[in-house]
Amino acid sequence: MTLDIDKTAGPEDTPPAGPEAIKAIPVRHYGRYVSAVVAIALLVAVIYAFSQGKINWGAIPDYFFDHRIIDGVLKTLLLTVLSMLIGVVGGVLLAVMRLSKNPVTSSIAWFYIWFFRGTPVLVQLVVWFNLGLVFTYINLGPIYKDYWSSFMTPLLTALLGLGLNEAAYMAEICRAGLLSVDEGQTEASHALGMSHSKTLRRIVIPQAMRVIVPPTGNEVINMLKTTSLVAVIQYSELFRVAQDIGQTSGAPAEMLFLAAAWYLLLTSVFSVGQYYLERYYARGSSRTLPATPFQKIKASLLSLGRPRGGMA
Amino acid sequence: MTANVTKADSATTMVKSEGVHKSFGPIEVLKGIDLEVKSGEVFCLIGPSGSGKSTFLRCINHLEKINAGRLYVDGELVGYRQHGDKLYELRDREVALKRRDIGMVFQRFNLFPHMTALENVMEAPVQVKGVSRAQARERAGQLLERVGLADKAKNYPSQLSGGQQQRVAIARALAMDPKLMLFDEPTSALDPELVGDVLDVMRDLAESGMTMIVVTHEMGFAREVGDSLVFMDGGVVVESGHPRDVLTNPQHERTQSFLSKVL
């Protein structure tokens, strides 16, 4: 082996060229250790307190799949879905009305939103329930006629109360979404000869959905919890059923925890659904679709122990 | 000028503008534009920004309403119907019907971001003309090939460069088989190296005999491809003629000072 060969050593002799990586002692964040210990200690204390309390935890699994509870869960879901449906349809309508050039329709929409956003939903529910004081009968001519009190069932009251209130919030969300779409989109669509309604349906709304979906998911979760207010007007949804069972079974607090667990479970399921919906409407807006939760978990498991970075 | 005369002219005239005025509130942007665009010609509009050339272009397909004067496309009044001496505003549906025949290409492309390149081109024929999806897809594929983007059909606009997006936008406008194409500074938002591809497509289109009105800052394109050229400033036509004459031998002092800055 000559000196000459040494100088032009092959790739197997030298590691790939590049600057030497910095090896430095990282800064120690003592504050972080202290705050982590304090937080864990407090958490343990809270858990301990609950475990020592006079709560019969065993009652919760006993009643978790009780047919009355399941029935209440289904009614809560029904109420959530139908109220949101009324809310979304009403909201889109109100948003289009508010953005319309007709001063009458836009004022009416403004007034509606002002009224329903400005009064508590609990008060609205009770008012709907007691509207029999104003209207004794409901009379739709030859189609339908009945006493108000038998027409206004708890379910209908709940749907009207929650749905009409929700429409006011959804209207603002939809309006923000519609306004977020670049005006050039409408112009391009009009220049191609598309009508106002086609432009709205094919071009503007699909793009507005990106802005509308996240706050709407928020609203769904909010609605799921707000349905518990309906307990005051005798509709046997989850919260009401849990209270009823609590009173008869002698485990009232346990049943509240049970209801809370069910609400948490349902909102978690909705959150996952929302994620996939957002992913669907993100198509075209970024070069690559965001990862699904499973892909994220996989990626973070693979990168455990490695420095962060690279994964955006 | 009576309606009879303009109808008679329509065989050779695509766009006729008579004393067109346009104001945005108190600001008068167009102060009486008179010009004529012949069928099959490439008509270039140049001028400093704020001179009203883009506004005038937008008036032609009624994206802007004119305040005074008359504007005809293919012998028909834009945005209005005339009965005797009375003008009636057209309904939105009637305006949309007329826009089918006028393609427009925007400075900022305005592609629909939630659709692929192919879907962008298919959208109007399917939704407006009621062409079957299969037929529209085939035609869209041909048009994308014509603008050199057959391999990008499945890409979303965000995955395309500016020049590619603008060529898709041209294909999208052509899908409606327009008799007139409006270009509103089609290369102004592009990186210099991407301008050439778009101009090539436009040159090809001009050779096919398409009537084109082009608002542009590309003097080379105007000189090479243009049949007529108008220099606008302050809302009026300052000078017009054949591009070679106007660009090389401007008569008006304002034209001279503008050209000395951009050439």
Side-chain angles (χ1 to χ4, degrees), chain A residues 23-41:
Chain A
K23 282 181 199 135
I25 313 296
V27 176
R28 305 281 183 213
H29 298 280
Y30 297 108
R32 285 184 197 171
Y33 298 132
V34 172
S35 57
V37 168
V38 169
I40 289 173

Side-chain angles (χ1 to χ4, degrees), chain A residues 182-196 198 201-204 206-207 283-288, chain B residues 58 61 63 92 96 99-100 102 104 106 108 110-115 123-124 127-128 133 156 158-159 172-173 176:
Chain A
D182 182 34
E183 220 176 312
Q185 294 290 312
T186 311
E187 276 184 2
S189 171
H190 283 170
L192 286 166
M194 287 170 78
S195 64
H196 278 306
K198 274 234 164 88
R201 221 172 51 233
R202 298 280 313 169
I203 308 300
V204 177
Q207 293 181 57
R283 72 197 195 284
S285 63
S286 53
R287 281 160 204 233
T288 50
Chain B
R58 294 160 58 83
N61 66 354
L63 282 178
D92 288 340
R99 284 185 182 138
R100 290 181 184 197
I102 306 173
M104 185 155 189
F106 298 86
R108 293 184 54 244
N110 295 348
L111 287 181
F112 305 134
H114 56 303
M115 300 180 186
E123 181 68 9
Q127 295 297 326
V128 180
R133 290 194 71 80
Y156 285 98
S158 60
Q159 298 164 321
R172 179 177 70 174
M176 291 297 283

Side-chain angles (χ1 to χ4, degrees), chain A residues 51-98:
Chain A
S51 70
Q52 296 303 302
K54 291 189 189 117
I55 294 171
N56 174 19
W57 293 106
I60 294 178
D62 287 349
Y63 281 98
F64 205 74
F65 294 109
D66 187 283
H67 70 95
R68 286 167 294 175
I69 291 287
I70 296 297
D71 191 51
V73 167
L74 291 178
K75 281 186 173 156
T76 288
L77 280 174
L78 178 80
L79 211 52
T80 306
V81 170
L82 290 182
S83 305
M84 276 316 289
L85 215 63
I86 297 173
V88 168
V89 171
V92 170
L93 206 69
L94 283 167
V96 172
M97 277 170 77
R98 262 207 85 177

Side-chain angles (χ1 to χ4, degrees), chain A residues 143-274:
Chain A
I143 313 164
Y144 186 84
K145 189 178 177 186
D146 204 347
Y147 283 103
W148 184 269
S149 50
S150 46
F151 165 73
M152 258 309 178
T153 59
L155 175 64
L156 191 62
T157 314
L159 283 180
L160 278 176
L162 295 175
L164 295 186
N165 182 70
E166 185 57 32
Y169 286 90
M170 283 308 301
E172 291 297 272
I173 292 171
C174 294
R175 190 169 67 98
L178 294 177
L179 288 176
S180 75
V181 179
D182 182 34
E183 220 176 312
Q185 294 290 312
T186 311
E187 276 184 2
S189 171
H190 283 170
L192 286 166
M194 287 170 78
S195 64
H196 278 306
S197 57
K198 274 234 164 88
T199 300
L200 202 61
R201 221 172 51 233
R202 298 280 313 169
I203 308 300
V204 177
I205 289 180
Q207 293 181 57
M209 287 306 275
R210 278 198 70 218
V211 175
I212 291 174
V213 167
T216 303
N218 220 15
E219 290 295 308
V220 172
I221 285 168
N222 226 337
M223 177 61 83
L224 192 89
K225 296 181 299 176
T226 309
T227 53
S228 62
L229 290 182
V230 170
V232 301
I233 56 163
Q234 320 296 325
Y235 186 67
S236 52
E237 43 66 66
L238 177 57
F239 182 53
R240 175 98 202 173
V241 168
Q243 277 181 313
D244 288 348
I245 294 179
Q247 272 159 16
T248 52
S249 70
E254 288 77 359
M255 290 306 109
L256 294 184
F257 282 113
L258 184 148
W262 263 109
Y263 282 118
L264 202 55
L265 191 72
L266 295 176
T267 51
S268 307
V269 171
F270 273 116
S271 305
V272 174
Q274 180 190 349

